[in-house]
Amino acid sequence: MVYVDPKNLGYTPYWDKFLSRRKGTEKKCLNQLFKKYVPVILDRIFDGYYGFEKFAPLKLIIYQTKLNMVTQLCFMLDAILKLPAEDESSSYISSNENLEVTSVISAQPTDEMEANFILALYCSLGAPLEDDSRLVFDDFVKNITGFLKVNDTPAKRATLKFIPSQKETWYEYYLDVENQIWIPWNTLVDKYEHNSSIKFNELLVPTVDSTRVTWLLNLMTIVKRPVILIGETGTSKTATMQNFLRSLDSYQYAQTSLNFSSRTSSLDIQTSLEANVFKRNKNIYGPSIGKKLVCFIDDMNMPQVDTYGTQQPIAFLKLFLEFGGMYDRGKEFDWKSFVDVYLYAAMGKPGGGRNEVDQRFISMFSVYCMVFPSDNTIDHIFRSILS
């Protein structure tokens, strides 16, 4: 196997591969939008350059390369611009009926295509950014669009060719393609309903952040892309992920969870995975026929670093994701292929006992930074619980 430095390879070959699956007008429109937005945004994020001006680079929650971000953009576009198969879509769509998956089945008007592309940018290039850098990113993207700002109201929402200004950033808006408007996420948040059977530490009051992340998880599940949520303690990473997993249909999904610690070994992971699958035929394993296994890993960067600078559980998971299986630890060391297994993860920002994770392993995930809730969100949470 030969590894090529992303600086030498660049991100253009991956984008060209993505475009090769597109046809006609859609392919041309996407390439034009890519050239308009992506190179200048990546230069601003990583190098601080915009034209001849030099600024401070933006802060990422975890190290990423330009290729990582473009890869995440392509997966996001695959999810947004293409309807999922009927047998998959029913179980992945959020419980909120208003959050329909955006779709472009054939060549679409430029306004709609660009709005979809902007939405994908915020969910990919803008997703790993920390809180303060998101404000800079938002201003930068708005300047590039050339759109006019409008003061959107409930009676008159901003249409696709305008920048809504009721909320501070574009992160706060969902694209309603059917009605050709931008809708604030806070209007799509479900009302909190108390469930006495859930433990207090597992309670999750629906907020703008949790609603948006759940929608993103739905989309990434459609395209079978592993997802990792990263943030400081108190940003509801685990609670948001667990709430999403609870929403999945138990008749279609089996679930297993792993909480990593400094003592977690690769054998612990293998034992847990093998305990939740069955042998389908020779050397092929998976959950029960008709089901998919969802594996959630919490505190993924906790395992200790060994003498050689690696984390055994992470190295094992990299093998599992990259090649779709593992070696049996019996006498024969046979290869065991796994099918219908989806992986999700959450971890804190590296530092303070949490270790750096192999960058090649992280590149296999779509990365989302979980930011601290705003004062309005905290007020909403406590009012919902106490009311």
Side-chain angles (χ1 to χ4, degrees), residues 353-365:
R354 300 183 180 91
N355 301 301
E356 295 282 351
V357 179
D358 182 7
Q359 295 169 10
R360 291 195 180 106
F361 176 63
I362 293 296
S363 70
M364 298 177 179
F365 289 79

Side-chain angles (χ1 to χ4, degrees), residues 45-65:
I45 291 174
F46 287 93
D47 305 316
Y49 287 111
Y50 180 44
F52 296 103
E53 296 185 81
K54 170 71 173 176
F55 303 92
L58 303 187
K59 294 181 180 179
L60 302 171
I61 190 67
I62 195 171
Y63 178 80
Q64 293 272 275
T65 65

Side-chain angles (χ1 to χ4, degrees), residues 135-245:
L135 298 176
V136 179
F137 174 86
D138 180 69
D139 288 337
F140 189 75
V141 174
K142 287 176 178 177
N143 288 333
I144 297 174
T145 62
F147 295 173
L148 294 176
K149 288 187 178 181
V150 295
N151 186 23
D152 58 311
T153 64
K156 188 176 182 181
R157 297 296 184 190
T159 55
L160 303 184
K161 202 64 176 177
F162 293 92
I163 300 173
S165 59
Q166 180 186 2
K167 302 296 181 182
E168 186 176 12
T169 70
W170 231 333
Y171 283 100
E172 307 299 319
Y173 286 89
Y174 165 76
L175 177 61
D176 183 347
V177 174
E178 183 178 351
N179 296 309
Q180 304 279 292
I181 56 175
W182 294 99
I183 303 176
W185 275 107
N186 64 350
T187 64
L188 302 174
V189 177
D190 291 328
K191 185 178 180 180
Y192 172 70
E193 295 181 4
H194 184 68
N195 185 349
S196 57
S197 64
I198 298 178
K199 297 179 182 178
F200 181 77
N201 63 339
E202 295 178 351
L203 288 178
L204 180 68
V205 177
T207 64
V208 169
D209 295 322
S210 66
T211 303
R212 180 172 54 235
V213 171
T214 300
W215 174 77
L216 289 168
L217 290 169
N218 287 326
L219 290 181
M220 291 299 97
T221 305
I222 291 171
V223 293
K224 301 180 181 179
R225 172 71 167 174
V227 178
I228 182 168
L229 304 182
I230 306 176
E232 300 285 1
T233 302
T235 51
S236 300
K237 304 179 297 295
T238 303
T240 300
M241 189 69 79
Q242 289 176 340
N243 184 68
F244 164 70
L245 297 178

